[in-house]
Amino acid sequence: MQCDSVVDDNFEEVCPEKVIKFKPPLYKQRYQFVRDLVGRHEPKKVADLGCGDTELLRLLKIYPCIQLLVGVDIDEEKLQSNGHHLSPFLGEFVKPRDLDLTVTLYHGSVVERDSRLLGFDLITCIELIEHLDSDHLARFPEVVFGYLSPAMIVISTPNSEFNPLFPIVTLRDADHKFEWNRMEFQTWALQVANRYNYSVEFTGVGKPPAGAEHVGFCTQIGVFWRNSGGAPGPCVSQQHDQHVYKAVYTVSYPSLQQERVLKFELVSEVLLQVERLRLWHLRTLREQKRGAGTVPKEPSVAPSLMLDLFTEAEKARIENSPKPFCEGSRFFVPLQRLLAYPRLHRLPVDEERMRSLLADSVCLSSDGSAVKVDLRNTWDWEPDDY
Amino acid sequence: MSGRARVRARGMARSPGALAGECTQASPSVPRMLMPSDLSDSEASFSGGMEGTSRISQNCDKSVSSGDVGSTFVEKVVKVRRDYVDLGVCTRAKLAHVRDSKTGSSGIPVKLATNLFNLDLPQDWQLYQYHVTYIPDLASRRLRIALLYNHSRLSDHAKAFDGTILFLSQKLEEKVTELSTETQRGETVKMTVTLTRELPSSSPMCIQVFNIIFKKILKKLSMYQIGRNFYKPSEPVEIPQHKLSLWPGFAVSVSHFERKLLFVADVSYKVLRNETVLEFMTDLCYKIGTSCFIQTCEQQLIGLIVLTRYNNKTYRIDDIDWSVKPTCTFQRRDGSEITYVDYYKQQYNITLSDLNQPVLVSLLKSRRNDNTEPKIVHLMPELCFLTGLAGQVTSDFQLMKAVAEEIRLSPLGRQQRLARLVDDIQRNKDARFELETWGLHFGSQMSLTGRVVPSEKILMQDHVCQPMSAADWSKDIRTCKILSVQSLNKWLIVCSNRAENVIDGFLSCLRRVGSSMGFNVGYPKIIKVQENVAAFLRAIQQHVDLDVQLVMCILPSNQNYYDCIKKYLSSDCPVPSQCVLSRTLNKQGMMMSIATKIALQMSCKLGGELWAVEIPLKSLMVAGIDVCKDKFSKQMVVVGFVASLNPRITRWFSRCILQRTTTDIADCLKVFMTGALKEWYKHNHDFPARIIVYRDGVGDGQLKAVIEYEVPQLLSSVAESGSKISSRLSVIVVRKKCLPRFFTEMDRTVQNAPLGTVVDSEATRPEWYDFYLISQAAYRGTVRPTHYNVIYDDNGLKPDHMQRLTFKLCHLYYNWQGLISIPAPCQYAHKLTYLVAQSIHKEPNLELASYLYYL
């Protein structure tokens, strides 16, 4: 079965002596937490600090709301070798996104200020702070909360109260500088939130096993919101451009916001719809010829395949638009009619724009209000042929 | 079968000259058609069947394989790429007469530019293969790789590593190196790196490593691997009116050619259909209605390659499961059940809109050589895009023309693209670094010397003609009589009532051109019928008797008629038949050329001989073999065998069989060859002294099977033929798809190499007795040479003679008055198998075996 997209082992979880197994694995639960958050709040600009092997960014790039996705890490080698995972899927060149997306990876430290990270809607620091030494940890709030000051910040870190459930009692990772209990984390978080005018909610992922509920989640998470009343940090425009990070990788996705892409998509959709209407019209004609009594039904469709599922609103919109018509051997579909179909309706074009985009690839009626095609073409299948 | 496909079966609608019916050729290798060289540029990506399921990724794929012998470790045996397998088949060593030299000398030397680039290595360059073990053992390949790559000891080494086998271009000091490292959790892991082999740069393993290096490099240039080639989807050529995007890219390969390591690159395009499988199904349903929807849908989709929206993989559609819906559940790897709808939502944030769509079934072949059952993958039609031009679309003339316009590249354009690629590689910091650390140096484009063999004279009945251009001598022989043909006295025309008015004009034209070429066409019996297939068939059944020499059908359209008529007249009631579209006969002003074409085809079908070339060998039989997959049942392979029946090579014996098999290896050759020898004996009262067999349709990796399985069949039938002196046999594998291209440089521009250019050095392979021959003309695109590999040779002809003879045979395809890209017997075999695979689906009647009834 097709379910192998996320098979990446996270080192923490592959450890053979591990006794407590989370399902799904803990790192996936953390990522899922962020994904749910993105799904609910639809941020446009998202940055992941300490993005490591870019795993989280890979999961986030599929969200249509995100238009700028940034990863920052101090391990340049890791960014180098993982950048290409963030390039568009081939399918995204075929059916492009609605909105632009740029993904950039920066090499740099989270305690350095870079103005390119200003004005974000969401900044995530997943299992990051425990890797900071005390000096960096002290500077961290000032940079992320004070300077970058995004609308939302997510910080996750191990909950040391959970550690006794593991056979190894030491820190969970050799590079961890500390692991906090819930009280320590929440005290720090509340302090920071107060200072920079954020509010914070605490939660976590990785439920403790039955009987040990008192230890709390394995990973504790703080979700910070910038308070709307307070001063939203220094204004972006007043900032001098401060580029201290090194851009290691950057990629732009094709999207319908790009004229070339939009045109291609529009022409394809128009031709597809016109062809369907033409075939439907031909069928109607045939039915009429066969027996005047039988009124053609909606194309009764192959077993199990439903065609054009329209909502009532969509149906009404289509019904109310000008109908396709025939003049001699030509078949015309008004542009307004085409725009009523959901697949064209979703495109960011009006009739005027549509006309100009179609102009050099599709044949239009003399007044430019409809697409014109031959009613019959030589390859049409005539079921009564045989 | 659809109308379009049928059109394709007859190869009409391809020619820009717009001849229709049977008067033009079906073959892609015939010049001047839309298909030749230019379109075939991208053949590999066009033909869906070629590439199976493959992974597209921009991952650094570090997998390497061990094909060499004698490793002290039990290593994971990884599949060696199929075309490298063929390179390991050393046939030349057994051919004494070419062991020292396989180059010819006749003809005029010509300097040729190529698409081959020198790859220089230091003199003493070697590849060091190590085996790596971990204590404690680590199951995760990714972890193994990460630990090794991050180790400081190896950081400045160029390396390729698949988790077990490590390749380095510099030797480590010790034979066994112990490395120690820590995981993120602080555990100590001991890695033992043991030298297992030192490989010279010519070893197949090295070649594979070189190709992995180039794969990495091309990915650094933002290219995506699809199948074996690399494409740049960010710079598409778009044809919106046909819902197509073309992604430009390259087919590349590194390997050892005759004398050194070379990098070959050829321009390739990937065709993407801007259409999901679900949209395709819906459209199809609109078009044909529900009655035969499932059947037609399966016919058109199975075998196509799709690209999924949510990852970079391509899959081959092996089946469609109409009973599974997106709302059904499947078992995830962790054992939990989940519906497809939920799965795609959770995993990829994709909402399926059609909950009634069926699922596409794809069988994933294991990448490793363990005989595990193929994994079954279910795919949602809504999330799959169609790739490639296969099946029905290829018969859409307008579409194919639009594609050809876009991807046809002149020799100059092609060379410029290559220059840009090389430039990109050399400018890219990462790419350059990769090459340098391995000690590779990207050198200059190679030029070499080929030879242009003398042009051939065309022998007509009472005239010897030296054509102005060997690409097309139709004008040169317009007034000449063909060699021989019987008179056509008793024949039928079956036509619909509507076509009646065109018949008189056409008939008088046909008789006129017939008589000028020496073909007497009598008046036919004309039968008018209703315009439906059943009426046509009934008329044929009623009126065809033993005396009827030929049946001509004027078809009102291309639906169904062709297949039914051909099936009946090729197999049930064997009479030569000629189908013509009535539309074709309505073309004013082209009647003479249409009638000429039809007259030539008709005379061939009656056993006529059109022209000949001088054949210096006195008792030579040539034969061609080709295979073709049956259109309906993909497990059936049609094997065609066509052998000459006279020393002049103007009469042919054609056999064809449907064989149930998964490979394209023929197992009926003994029967065919024995039959051909008997027939030859009947005509010549002796057996041929020499037999030369051209085998087309050999896929990558099948060379060994052809040598071990097909050659012995041919040998044993020759040995058992009963002749006193056994005929001497040669077998030549013919390949139209090969990467090298040859150009002539003139006045600072590049042009196609001239017709008759032979290349038998530098671009050839040291282990083979092989050569390239350019025998087709490309007026607008770039010509593709044909590669000939002599795998068995008792005849011991000099390379010069073998090359000349091959060139001569390219003149003898009676469906085209000019040179073609492959020897005529191969083209006949191709035409025959195509007819059977597309229209007849059963063995044609043996009574027709000595006529070219399938032209």
Side-chain angles (χ1 to χ4, degrees), chain A residues 185-238:
Chain A
F185 175 57
Q186 294 182 9
T187 311
W188 175 84
L190 283 167
Q191 241 172 30
V192 170
N194 270 333
R195 165 121 193 247
Y196 297 100
N197 197 20
Y198 276 75
S199 47
V200 57
E201 283 166 25
F202 297 103
T203 175
V205 294
K207 286 209 179 84
E213 287 84 358
H214 62 280
V215 302
F217 289 112
C218 187
T219 297
Q220 45 184 340
I221 298 176
V223 181
F224 300 76
W225 304 86
R226 196 176 59 217
N227 292 332
S228 47
C235 184
V236 179
S237 58
Q238 288 166 5

Side-chain angles (χ1 to χ4, degrees), chain A residues 2-5 7-8 35 84-85 87-88 90 94 173-174 260 276 283 300 302 304 306-307 343, chain B residues 58-59 142 184 224 238 274 279 282-283 286-287 290 293 310 312 333 343 346-348 354 356 559:
Chain A
Q2 171 60 37
C3 53
D4 49 1
S5 81
V7 290
D8 313 299
R35 291 177 64 181
H84 57 81
H85 290 303
S87 53
L90 287 168
V94 188
D173 185 297
R260 183 187 61 78
R276 285 185 181 178
R283 180 177 300 217
S300 68
S304 76
M306 293 210 296
L307 301 179
R343 295 173 50 140
Chain B
Q58 289 209 304
N59 298 344
R142 217 175 107 173
Q184 286 196 346
Y224 289 72
E238 285 166 343
N274 193 42
E279 285 163 7
T282 314
D283 273 4
Y286 266 98
K287 267 181 214 149
T290 51
F293 172 73
Y310 45 83
N312 276 333
R333 198 169 292 179
Y343 173 76
Q346 266 182 29
Q347 198 76 32
Y348 304 110
D354 187 339
N356 275 312
Q559 305 283 352

Side-chain angles (χ1 to χ4, degrees), chain A residues 25-131:
Chain A
L26 192 55
Y27 74 98
K28 281 195 186 172
Q29 292 191 29
R30 286 193 291 262
Y31 295 154
Q32 191 57 44
F33 180 84
V34 177
R35 291 177 64 181
D36 290 343
L37 218 56
V38 168
R40 271 202 307 279
H41 299 286
E42 308 201 333
K44 273 189 190 161
K45 295 173 158 192
V46 178
D48 184 29
L49 306 185
C51 62
D53 53 11
T54 71
E55 186 74 39
L56 178 58
L57 298 174
R58 275 182 243 176
L59 296 171
L60 292 183
K61 78 186 181 84
I62 61 176
Y63 284 83
C65 57
I66 298 179
Q67 293 186 259
L68 180 59
L69 190 58
V70 165
V72 179
D73 206 283
I74 42 164
D75 189 338
E76 185 176 358
E77 170 65 31
K78 249 186 189 168
L79 298 180
Q80 290 276 14
S81 56
N82 284 297
H84 57 81
H85 290 303
L86 296 168
S87 53
F89 291 133
L90 287 168
E92 291 178 281
F93 292 97
V94 188
K95 272 278 178 285
R97 297 164 46 97
D98 287 350
L99 301 174
D100 283 336
L101 168 65
T102 305
V103 182
T104 306
L105 295 180
Y106 291 116
H107 171 227
S109 159
V110 296
V111 295
E112 287 172 314
R113 296 160 184 249
D114 190 296
S115 59
R116 289 171 292 188
L117 264 79
L118 290 174
F120 273 62
D121 302 301
L122 170 64
I123 288 184
T124 58
C125 310
I126 303 304
E127 306 296 272
L128 167 76
I129 55 169
E130 66 275 9
H131 292 271

Side-chain angles (χ1 to χ4, degrees), chain A residues 152-173:
Chain A
M152 205 198 304
I153 301 172
V154 176
I155 295 179
S156 85
T157 190
N159 167 18
S160 63
E161 292 165 74
F162 198 97
N163 287 1
L165 301 180
F166 293 123
I168 300 169
V169 230
T170 54
L171 299 178
R172 294 186 198 172
D173 185 297

Side-chain angles (χ1 to χ4, degrees), chain B residues 471-531:
Chain B
D472 180 358
W473 57 73
S474 57
K475 290 206 178 71
D476 306 83
I477 62 165
R478 196 177 328 174
T479 54
C480 304
K481 286 198 163 36
I482 57 176
L483 290 177
S484 83
V485 63
Q486 61 180 116
S487 301
L488 180 58
N489 301 318
K490 186 151 191 242
W491 62 300
L492 303 177
I493 290 186
V494 184
C495 63
S496 73
N497 297 319
R498 275 203 294 183
E500 200 181 350
N501 54 337
V502 296
I503 288 192
D504 284 347
F506 168 62
L507 256 184
S508 75
C509 221
L510 189 68
R511 285 166 50 83
R512 206 159 63 233
V513 297
S515 81
S516 75
M517 66 177 69
F519 175 33
N520 290 321
V521 179
Y523 283 103
K525 181 170 177 185
I526 299 174
I527 303 150
K528 286 168 217 153
V529 295
Q530 290 265 308
E531 207 168 280

Side-chain angles (χ1 to χ4, degrees), chain B residues 413-559:
Chain B
R414 192 169 291 271
Q415 288 293 62
Q416 284 167 343
R417 285 285 180 87
L418 293 185
R420 209 182 115 193
L421 172 71
V422 172
D423 202 49
D424 285 347
I425 293 176
Q426 285 173 337
R427 275 163 191 269
N428 185 292
K429 200 179 83 221
D430 298 329
R432 225 174 35 227
F433 178 76
E434 187 73 33
L435 284 174
E436 276 166 15
T437 50
W438 283 101
L440 285 164
H441 180 256
F442 208 96
S444 56
Q445 201 160 358
M446 196 176 78
S447 57
L448 49 80
T449 308
R451 290 171 291 111
V452 183
V453 299
S455 61
E456 291 295 327
K457 295 187 193 73
I458 304 302
L459 313 179
M460 303 301 291
Q461 197 183 81
D462 40 22
H463 187 77
V464 174
C465 156
Q466 181 74 60
M468 290 292 286
S469 160
D472 180 358
W473 57 73
S474 57
K475 290 206 178 71
D476 306 83
I477 62 165
R478 196 177 328 174
T479 54
C480 304
K481 286 198 163 36
I482 57 176
L483 290 177
S484 83
V485 63
Q486 61 180 116
S487 301
L488 180 58
N489 301 318
K490 186 151 191 242
W491 62 300
L492 303 177
I493 290 186
V494 184
C495 63
S496 73
N497 297 319
R498 275 203 294 183
E500 200 181 350
N501 54 337
V502 296
I503 288 192
D504 284 347
F506 168 62
L507 256 184
S508 75
C509 221
L510 189 68
R511 285 166 50 83
R512 206 159 63 233
V513 297
S515 81
S516 75
M517 66 177 69
F519 175 33
N520 290 321
V521 179
Y523 283 103
K525 181 170 177 185
I526 299 174
I527 303 150
K528 286 168 217 153
V529 295
Q530 290 265 308
E531 207 168 280
N532 64 59
V533 179
F536 268 76
L537 263 187
R538 220 167 23 243
I540 292 168
Q541 282 162 350
Q542 267 170 19
H543 292 94
V544 172
D545 56 44
L546 285 174
D547 304 335
V548 171
Q549 293 169 283
L550 184 137
V551 179
M552 176 181 280
C553 297
I554 315 288
L555 305 181
S557 82
N558 33 45
Q559 305 283 352

